[in-house]
Amino acid sequence: MLRRRHRKDDLRSEALYSPCGTWRYRLTRRWGAGRLVTFILLNPSTATERADDPTLARCVSRARALEAGGVCVVNLFALRATDPRALRQHPDPIGPKTDGVLLRAARQAGMLICGWGNHGALRGRDAQVRSMLQAIGVPLFHLGLTANGQPRHPLYVRLETAPILWHDSSENCSQRHENF
């Protein structure tokens, strides 16, 4: 894997890419000593170790509001694309290292927030990842669910919305989490 780092003032950034640059496996921003808020989103877009995109900027704002020391973003699909339709056309939108990086990030997370939206159901990826994460006992949070039961993307949720513990569908309750 290709690891790229960048530092500006008190902000340390790191991104993990495939050697060819097709997949971005992880992106982190660290500004303090506190725990990381980790987001599992659909797929990487244009954010890099040096530049934010609107989604990353929103994730950073939410993590700061939760008094975290940083943010980590991993994805169901590691293919770098600005249009989710590209995931259907690529022979391997998941990427060869995605599951290992995702599980490592989940184990290190202070809070794990899912936010992949309705496209996460592509190739049954949402269920695969939830199953992997439940197997290691990591509590999952979301910022609300779509009509299809998928976790809402953080870009489309008000910053004031508190993370909600994601219970199994057999359970009929939600617990809001104000601080972690």
Side-chain angles (χ1 to χ4, degrees):
M1 275 190 275
L2 179 60
R3 182 182 315 264
R4 293 186 183 151
R5 293 185 172 114
H6 179 71
R7 185 179 187 117
K8 184 176 180 185
D9 302 323
D10 71 336
L11 186 65
R12 298 177 318 276
S13 301
E14 181 180 275
L16 289 179
Y17 300 95
S18 62
C20 63
T22 300
W23 300 281
R24 189 193 77 208
Y25 296 111
R26 186 182 75 212
L27 182 61
T28 59
R29 298 281 194 265
R30 194 45 105 169
W31 52 82
R35 307 232 12 202
L36 288 176
V37 172
T38 297
F39 288 87
I40 302 177
L41 304 179
L42 183 66
N43 73 297
S45 181
T46 60
T48 69
E49 68 283 356
R50 292 181 174 269
D52 290 357
D53 62 11
T55 296
L56 183 61
R58 177 59 65 96
C59 291
V60 166
S61 294
R62 186 171 297 282
R64 286 185 184 270
L66 290 167
E67 300 178 1
V71 67
C72 175
V73 176
V74 292
N75 297 276
L76 298 182
F77 302 95
L79 180 69
R80 297 174 73 194
T82 56
D83 186 340
R85 290 178 287 199
L87 301 175
R88 288 185 193 84
Q89 299 167 354
H90 196 278
D92 183 11
I94 296 170
K97 305 285 185 184
T98 301
D99 288 351
V101 172
L102 197 150
L103 286 170
R104 196 170 316 113
R107 286 184 181 105
Q108 296 170 348
M111 174 182 278
L112 189 59
I113 300 176
C114 300
W116 51 73
N118 287 331
H119 293 290
L122 179 67
R123 298 184 184 200
R125 187 67 177 146
D126 58 335
Q128 291 170 351
V129 169
R130 280 193 75 192
S131 178
M132 284 188 321
L133 295 171
Q134 289 170 338
I136 64 169
V138 177
L140 305 178
F141 289 83
H142 62 81
L143 301 170
L145 299 175
T146 68
N148 293 335
Q150 298 291 344
R152 292 192 182 283
H153 191 282
L155 190 57
Y156 309 116
V157 178
R158 293 173 52 95
L159 193 56
E160 298 79 26
T161 301
I164 303 164
L165 186 60
W166 197 0
H167 294 286
D168 289 334
S169 58
S170 61
E171 298 180 40
N172 199 10
C173 62
S174 292
Q175 174 184 343
R176 293 194 178 272
H177 189 78
E178 301 301 329
N179 292 310
F180 68 102

